[in-house]
Amino acid sequence: MAKWSERLSELGIELPDVVPPLAAYVPAVQVGSLVHTSGQLPIVDGNLTSVGKVGGDVTAEDATAAARICALNALAAVHALVGIDSVARVIKAVGFVASAPGFTGQPGVINGASNVIGEIFGDAGKHARSAVGVAELPLGASVEVELIVELR
């Protein structure tokens, strides 16, 4: 049985504290053997790190780094609810990208989330995914990511 906490340590990745909800919701909910996370923004130590439209005020590279932060925040929500070592696999990632007119690189941006999931979980991190361009995200964030994981 894989110990994801050990893999995180090997990679030098420390899951952050769970980002407190910004409205009337919880960070993650378990339903049977699945955990669904709420959409997570690129918040580090209480600060939103990437604001604006990708392809406008935010570069695709910066948004990709922000998507990685979002994924780690989602994994932190999973960890706080059930413990990261109880994850069997990541089933789906959904990424939202606040996009400037004409920006069509949403899949590349959300690779920031998918790639870190792959680094941590290997084959158990291969997931289905949606990468959606949107006009606006909460607080003006450039990226938001949510996850569905299966438990052991």
Side-chain angles (χ1 to χ4, degrees):
M1 179 161 86
K3 285 285 211 178
W4 306 124
S5 55
E6 291 173 7
R7 180 68 181 142
L8 285 165
S9 183
E10 289 170 11
L11 292 168
I13 297 173
E14 187 173 328
L15 291 178
D17 291 335
V18 176
V19 175
L22 304 173
Y25 62 89
V26 294
V29 173
Q30 180 179 352
V31 178
S33 65
L34 301 179
V35 173
H36 297 254
T37 72
S38 294
Q40 299 293 314
L41 302 178
I43 294 176
V44 176
D45 297 327
N47 298 306
L48 186 59
T49 63
S50 183
V51 176
K53 303 266 198 267
V54 183
D57 1 339
V58 179
T59 67
E61 294 77 17
D62 288 346
T64 301
R68 178 184 174 96
I69 293 168
C70 294
L72 293 174
N73 285 342
L75 291 174
V78 171
H79 180 60
L81 184 66
V82 296
I84 198 71
D85 289 328
S86 66
V87 173
R89 67 169 305 185
V90 178
I91 295 174
K92 185 162 187 181
V94 179
F96 303 96
V97 180
S99 300
F103 180 75
T104 60
Q106 294 84 5
V109 168
I110 301 306
N111 278 347
S114 292
N115 290 343
V116 74
I117 290 166
E119 290 171 30
I120 296 166
F121 296 101
D123 284 345
K126 291 181 179 175
H127 55 274
R129 189 180 88 176
S130 298
V132 182
V134 298
E136 298 289 339
L137 286 169
L139 305 178
S142 62
V143 183
E144 181 175 349
V145 172
E146 61 185 55
L147 299 177
I148 301 171
V149 302
E150 180 182 25
L151 304 177
R152 302 183 193 281

